[in-house]
Amino acid sequence: MENFWFVVLYIGAAMLVTFLLFVYIALKVDLDKISLRKLEHAGADTSKPVRLEFLLEFGDEEAAKLVAESLGKDDYQTRVEHAPASKGFRCVAERSLVPELRKLKNIRERMYNTARPKGGIYEGWRAPEWDAGIAS
């Protein structure tokens, strides 16, 4: 009987984690859409290129510099700075592009996959000229 409740608890926990993962993914997709709408409401013409900053945070400066170098090879203008809300470092990768939702989702996936192996996180994007973003 003891094993039965352990199995029930284990299955319930697995189902909860799966559900939360799906909610998390759905929320991430919505955040890009919400930030894109904020950009439009700020007055940006989203049918034309807009300068966007993509923000990645790391625990150490070396990891941030390695990612900045990698993104620099893909035509991003990059810089590394102290992260304002932590003791870590932030890689800021800038690029002008037409901010289409599908494009932003693809960039999000790329940034997550670039940051993760170096122990970093992708914070989201912002459009500093329009005071719009951040889609975390």
Side-chain angles (χ1 to χ4, degrees):
M1 190 67 165
E2 198 173 297
N3 287 337
F4 170 77
W5 289 112
F6 177 78
V7 170
V8 168
L9 181 64
Y10 184 79
I11 291 172
M15 290 173 60
L16 178 62
V17 167
T18 303
F19 171 77
L20 292 175
L21 181 62
F22 282 116
V23 169
Y24 179 76
I25 291 169
L27 183 59
K28 291 297 178 188
V29 172
D30 290 343
L31 286 174
D32 281 325
K33 189 173 186 177
I34 290 167
S35 290
L36 188 55
R37 297 297 172 251
K38 283 172 51 179
L39 184 59
E40 291 168 346
H41 282 88
D45 181 353
T46 57
S47 68
K48 296 180 180 175
V50 175
R51 184 174 67 89
L52 300 180
E53 293 181 342
F54 302 92
L55 311 171
L56 302 95
E57 189 169 330
F58 299 88
D60 65 271
E61 188 175 16
E62 185 62 30
K65 285 181 177 179
L66 287 171
V67 169
E69 183 180 328
S70 172
L71 293 172
K73 292 176 184 176
D74 290 336
D75 296 325
Y76 285 91
Q77 299 283 327
T78 62
R79 68 181 182 276
V80 173
E81 58 191 34
H82 286 279
S86 73
K87 295 180 182 178
F89 291 85
R90 177 186 278 171
C91 169
V92 180
E94 296 180 31
R95 178 184 269 180
S96 289
L97 56 92
V98 176
E100 299 167 342
L101 189 56
R102 175 151 314 278
K103 207 180 282 187
L104 292 169
K105 289 179 187 177
N106 289 339
I107 291 172
R108 171 178 296 284
E109 184 177 342
R110 162 85 195 291
M111 295 297 174
Y112 272 124
N113 292 334
T114 300
R116 224 178 269 139
K118 302 287 185 206
I121 58 168
Y122 174 58
E123 293 181 321
W125 60 270
R126 65 184 176 199
E129 294 157 15
W130 296 98
D131 196 28
I134 256 182
S136 296

